[in-house]
Each structure stands twice: as C-alpha cells, then as structure tokens.
Amino acid sequence: MNIGRIHVDSRLVLAPMAGVTDLAFRQICRELGAGLTVTEMVSAKAITFGDDKSVRLLRDKASHG
C-alpha cells in the first residue's frame, strides 16, 4: 500500500487511540502484521508549555515502528 510517496508493507494500520497505543501494544501489532503504527495524539500546545504528562507520553511511547 502507498500513502503518497510512502510505501507501507501491509494494509493493516493502527490508528491513534488515547490510552491504548503504548509501545508494547504497537510492538504486538507490528508482530501481528501491522504495516504502520502510531502513538496516541499528544497536544502540541501542552508540550510548548512544558506539561510533564504530555512530554512523558512522547518519551514513553516513542518508537521507530
């Protein structure tokens, strides 16, 4: 499957879901065939104000998969 110029090996895509798409869940989805996984949405405004919870979400949930 292609999204613009980006090629994704599988048609299975994990949508961002609040409180669900942590690193462990994304890894399981990749192992089960997901071609694209994402973290839950994080507020850019909260990050600019240095909100610890939002920054922690990014740090704890970041992955390359």
Side-chain angles (χ1 to χ4, degrees), residues 20-60:
V20 177
T21 52
D22 63 2
L23 177 58
F25 186 72
R26 289 194 319 272
Q27 287 175 331
I28 291 169
C29 290
R30 295 285 291 182
E31 290 171 8
L32 294 174
L36 177 66
T37 63
V38 296
T39 64
E40 65 186 73
M41 291 181 253
V42 179
S43 168
K45 187 172 186 176
I47 294 168
T48 61
F49 286 110
D51 180 66
D52 289 337
K53 183 179 177 186
S54 296
V55 173
R56 216 173 25 253
L57 281 173
L58 289 177
R59 186 178 310 116
D60 295 345

